[in-house]
Every structure is written in structure tokens, then in C-alpha cells.
Amino acid sequence: MTEKTKSSEPSIEIIEIKRAVPEDAEAIMNLKRQAWLKAYVSEEYEISIDDIEKKFPEDSLPNAIENWQKGIASEQDKNEKATFVARLDGKVVGYTSPCTEDGQRRLGALYVSPNVQGKGVGSKLLESAVKWHGVDEDIFVHVVSYNSAVGFYEQHGFQKTGVEFPQEFDEEHGIKLLPEIEMVLKAN
């Protein structure tokens, strides 16, 4: 599945959405880290750059990339998960990982490189995820409660369900968990 979209930005020619391949794993991990650093640092919630860095320690990066490679490779054999990447001029600038967990359709992740946010990349990725799931059942997503992504999902028809996941500390990993809310795109 490939979708191309012309942008009004002269520096961005084409947004191309494709299924990820294992070779995209390193770009996905780097993008995720970059997006987390930009989106989730918060004085109000006492989430520092160091807190985010703990989530992505340098020594765990090779294992994380290998896990992504294996996961992407196994997606072709199952219908429980897919990973789509957005490319601009051949470079991965966003990804989404729709999946089914416990019988529930979920938008597992959607991240866009901070330098291209607001240019339609997230919308195209979301469109691909919804298309992959279909619209005959509800699709759920957990969103960090203080992040602008809440408004992004609302603009695309998602509604807050009222389910909240408060900020906690993960003793096992020594990291702060981000406060999240659940949102849903209701079935047609």
C-alpha cells in the first residue's frame, strides 16, 4: 500500500506511506526517541529530558532495533499488527503501528518527526492505520494527557472515553510513566 500526497510546502514534495520493512527499524527507534524528547518533557508533570533519556538508554538501543526488525518481519505472517512508515524524499519521518490487543483494535503508536509536524504526515499515517483496521469496529488509542496529540485525534473524530491512566513510577525500570487518557474512534 503506497499513498502519495502533494504538500503545499515547497520543501516537502511527497509524503509516501508504505508498510515498514525490517531495515526501517533503526530509523523508527531514532524517530520515536526524538519525538518523545520533543513531546513529553513537562515542567508541570515533572518529566525531564533525563526521564525521557532513561526510557531510551544507549546500551539498549541495539536490542530495541533488533526487536523492531523481528517484529516488522513477523507482521507479514499475522494480521494482529502492522507498521507503516511515512517517507519524505526517501527518509522515514513518521510511523504508526496499529494492532489488535485482547480482541480490541488499537492504534499502538503514531509518531512524526518534530521538524515535519503540522504538514499532514500524521493525518496520512492515521488514515493508513484506520484503513488497515477497517471502520466496522471501534479503534482505541492511549494518548499522553498533556500532549497536543489529544487535539490531533479529536480533529480526526476520536473522542475521550473517560478512562485515565495516572502518572506513576515504574520501580522495575526506574522511570516515570506518563499520564494517559483513552480515546476512541467509533465504528461507522
Side-chain angles (χ1 to χ4, degrees), residues 32 108 184-185:
K32 183 176 181 179
V184 63
L185 180 64

Side-chain angles (χ1 to χ4, degrees), residues 19 24 47 70 95 106 117 150 152 157 162:
R19 288 291 294 260
D24 292 326
I47 304 289
K70 290 176 183 174
Y95 81 94
R106 304 201 62 78
Q117 288 179 0
V150 173
F152 169 80

Side-chain angles (χ1 to χ4, degrees), residues 25-57:
E26 185 171 359
I28 288 170
M29 277 304 301
N30 289 330
L31 173 80
K32 183 176 181 179
R33 181 181 175 279
Q34 181 186 55
W36 271 62
L37 285 167
K38 176 75 174 167
Y40 298 145
V41 173
S42 168
E43 284 184 33
E44 180 183 351
Y45 287 90
E46 299 178 353
I47 304 289
S48 68
I49 290 173
D50 287 342
D51 292 322
I52 301 300
E53 292 283 354
K54 285 179 187 176
K55 177 89 172 140
F56 302 97

